[in-house]
């Protein structure tokens, strides 16, 4: 690796001799090279094995790829000192697998807590009631921050063009309202709306979303078959 700013590394292939090139005294090592990408980049650390026909082509490829690497490193360095760079960093962080998986776990935990609080008979002023309120407050703060992070990461048209984001906003608004309006009657109805948040898992679990979409699209044909 030539330096921390360069996003890939060129290296020569292991030495072995081709039967077709042995007569010419030329090993394939002279005609091959590898390109190894960054582990956290778009290509996820994949290595690409390239082979050319002549030695001048190897030199041309190496020079071309290295020039592109330097340009890319310079572009990334420039982006980091601008709003575009900050926005890209936030978006990359928000869409990372770690953040999305953590969000799914929190949504599942929030669903279980909400169901438990609605099904259990909790005495007024008990420690159990206080515990549920603390957990509810913490989850509301976390999901409010997650919504804000989503808004910044997908600012602006990308955010408002997604119906999932409107669902997120609605559920967070309901959660905040249920905290500040807990003295009114039927506040449990507001809390029940928070269970809708579990639907957001469809947005992040692509396999589950495909199943739901397939089932939805099959309703029409199945209904027609029953009518016939």
């Amino acid at each position: 690796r030539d330096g921390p700013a360069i996003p890939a590394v060129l290296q020569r292939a292991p030495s072995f001799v081709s039967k077709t090139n042995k007569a010419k005294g030329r090993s394939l090592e002279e005609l091959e090279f590898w390109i190894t990408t960054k582990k956290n980049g778009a290509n996820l650390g994949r290595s690409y094995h390239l082979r050319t026909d002549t030695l001048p082509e190897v030199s041309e490829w190496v020079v071309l790829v290295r020039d592109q690497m330097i340009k890319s490193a310079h572009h990334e360095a420039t982006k980091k000192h601008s709003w575009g760079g900050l926005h890209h960093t936030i978006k990359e962080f928000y869409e990372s697998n770690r953040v999305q998986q953590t969000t799914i776990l929190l949504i599942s935990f929030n669903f279980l807590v909400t169901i438990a609080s609605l099904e259990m008979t909790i005495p007024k002023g008990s420690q159990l009631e206080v515990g549920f309120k603390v957990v509810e407050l913490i989850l509301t703060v976390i999901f409010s921050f997650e919504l804000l992070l989503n808004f910044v990461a997908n600012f602006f048209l990308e955010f408002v063009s997604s119906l999932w984001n409107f669902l997120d906003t609605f559920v967070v608004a309901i959660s905040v309202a249920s905290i500040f309006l807990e003295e009114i009657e039927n506040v449990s109805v507001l809390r029940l709306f928070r269970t809708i948040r579990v639907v957001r898992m469809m947005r992040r679990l692509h396999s589950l979303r495909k199943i739901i979409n397939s089932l939805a699209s099959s309703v029409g044909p199945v209904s027609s078959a029953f009518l016939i």
Side-chain angles (χ1 to χ4, degrees):
R1 188 177 298 273
D2 292 328
I6 294 181
V9 57
L10 292 177
Q11 57 188 24
R12 306 308 295 264
S15 176
F16 59 92
V17 180
S18 167
K19 293 180 179 179
T20 58
N21 285 301
K22 184 182 289 187
K24 303 176 183 179
R26 181 182 299 165
S27 68
L28 284 183
E29 180 186 8
E30 298 173 345
L31 302 177
E32 297 181 340
F33 58 93
W34 293 80
I35 300 177
T36 303
T37 59
K38 291 196 308 182
K39 291 184 178 180
N40 59 342
N43 293 292
L44 302 175
R46 297 186 183 93
S47 295
Y48 298 93
H49 179 202
L50 303 178
R51 179 186 300 171
T52 62
D53 294 325
T54 63
L55 287 177
E57 287 185 16
V58 175
S59 300
E60 291 177 7
W61 270 99
V62 170
V63 171
L64 178 64
V65 174
R66 284 190 182 277
D67 287 344
Q68 189 60 42
M69 289 161 55
I70 294 172
K71 289 180 181 178
S72 176
H74 177 72
H75 179 66
E76 291 295 328
T78 303
K79 284 172 60 177
K80 289 181 180 179
H81 298 286
S82 62
W83 158 246
L86 178 61
H87 174 259
H88 176 76
T89 302
I90 295 175
K91 185 176 181 67
E92 192 176 57
F93 170 75
Y94 177 73
E95 294 180 349
S96 64
N97 289 333
R98 181 175 299 178
V99 172
Q100 295 303 313
Q101 290 169 0
T102 302
T103 303
I104 290 174
L105 291 176
L106 288 172
I107 290 173
S108 303
F109 177 69
N110 176 79
F111 178 78
L112 296 175
V113 169
T114 302
I115 294 299
S117 65
L118 293 174
E119 291 295 324
M120 295 174 61
T121 302
I122 303 176
K124 285 282 187 179
S126 64
Q127 290 185 347
L128 184 60
E129 183 187 33
V130 174
F132 271 110
K133 286 183 178 180
V134 170
V135 172
E136 177 184 339
L137 178 61
I138 293 174
L139 289 173
T140 300
V141 171
I142 291 175
F143 285 120
S144 299
F145 177 75
E146 188 262 345
L147 180 64
L148 177 62
L149 193 64
N150 181 13
F151 179 76
V152 175
N154 297 291
F155 186 83
F156 172 72
L157 293 178
E158 189 175 355
F159 181 86
V160 299
S161 61
S162 173
L163 294 178
W164 290 104
N165 292 331
F166 284 101
L167 175 63
D168 290 354
T169 304
F170 172 75
V171 174
V172 169
I174 289 295
S175 300
V176 173
S178 65
I179 291 176
F180 289 98
L181 302 177
E182 64 178 52
E183 298 301 328
I184 65 172
E185 295 183 3
N186 298 325
V187 70
S188 58
V189 176
L190 289 178
R191 290 173 177 166
L192 183 62
F193 276 109
R194 292 181 302 177
T195 59
I196 300 175
R197 184 178 280 129
V198 75
V199 180
R200 295 174 57 197
M201 294 175 63
M202 291 173 50
R203 174 186 179 182
R204 292 166 171 81
L205 296 177
H206 297 290
S207 56
L208 177 61
R209 185 166 60 185
K210 287 181 180 179
I211 294 173
I212 298 298
N213 290 339
S214 298
L215 292 174
S217 61
S218 65
V219 171
V222 171
S223 301
S224 301
F226 274 114
L227 291 176
I228 292 174

